[in-house]
Amino acid sequence: MIRTVSWNCNGLKKSEKLLNFLRKSLTNIKKNCFYIACIQEIKLNALTNDHKTVIKNYGLEYHFQPATKRSGGLLTMWNHGENSILIATNETCLITEFPKMSLTLVNTYVRTIDYKEACEQLFTATSQLSTSSKIVMIGDFNAYKNPIKDRISNKMGPLDNHLKIFKI
């Protein structure tokens, strides 16, 4: 079994907040023996040297997708020494293959404001994968079941109307 954890940190925005978040969460990752950690909605355009040092000091490697349009930002981290291949990255997803584990991990953040386009972008990226490994999608899909409760429901239809684009 591959222990994986995912967090939507809902916008750290400031570099110091990410540092604090990383220190706390990476301590928890190591303590609970998680192998892969995925973070969504970091809302940063770049990782600083301090961020990279903290990640490295915990014995992890990473792939990072910067935020765009004041939202998003993805970070996938895993134990040092595991062979990984960055397959694709765009504002919607960060796709990493782990050949030894026969795993392709899709860390994703889909913005509610352009949900249908983002889902199509995600589907395009994942449908082009030519891998025999298991594909696991993890992250923030901003999906909803009740359009009345959604804050921008007048711009989108029910969840089922958007999920059909994932059917292969």
Side-chain angles (χ1 to χ4, degrees), residues 43-123:
K43 295 185 182 179
L44 290 175
N45 294 325
L47 293 180
T48 67
N49 286 334
D50 288 341
H51 297 134
K52 295 172 188 176
T53 299
V54 168
I55 293 168
K56 183 179 178 182
N57 287 345
Y58 278 89
L60 300 172
E61 297 181 36
Y62 69 92
H63 290 146
F64 173 69
Q65 170 61 37
T68 57
K69 302 176 188 172
R70 295 176 36 197
S71 70
L74 299 165
L75 180 62
T76 302
M77 299 173 287
W78 61 92
N79 288 333
H80 176 74
E82 178 63 41
N83 183 29
S84 70
I85 303 164
L86 181 62
I87 302 293
T89 182
N90 59 48
E91 65 184 38
T92 302
C93 63
L94 186 59
I95 304 174
T96 306
E97 184 175 2
F98 299 94
K100 284 192 231 173
M101 294 187 282
S102 295
L103 174 71
T104 300
L105 183 77
V106 181
N107 184 6
T108 189
Y109 170 70
V110 176
R111 294 172 2 127
T112 54
I113 202 78
D114 52 3
Y115 188 82
K116 186 173 181 181
E117 296 81 12
C119 286
E120 288 169 355
Q121 187 178 26
L122 177 62
F123 176 73

Side-chain angles (χ1 to χ4, degrees), residues 3 7 16 21 60 65 70 72 89 97 115 124 133 152 156 158-159 162 164:
R3 292 181 55 115
W7 286 287
E16 318 81 59
F21 180 83
L60 300 172
Q65 170 61 37
R70 295 176 36 197
T89 182
E97 184 175 2
Y115 188 82
T124 299
S133 64
I152 58 168
M156 302 186 308
L159 174 64
H162 297 291
K164 67 181 176 186

Side-chain angles (χ1 to χ4, degrees), residues 153-166:
S153 61
N154 60 339
K155 295 183 181 179
M156 302 186 308
L159 174 64
D160 294 337
N161 289 343
H162 297 291
L163 285 183
K164 67 181 176 186
I165 65 171
F166 290 107

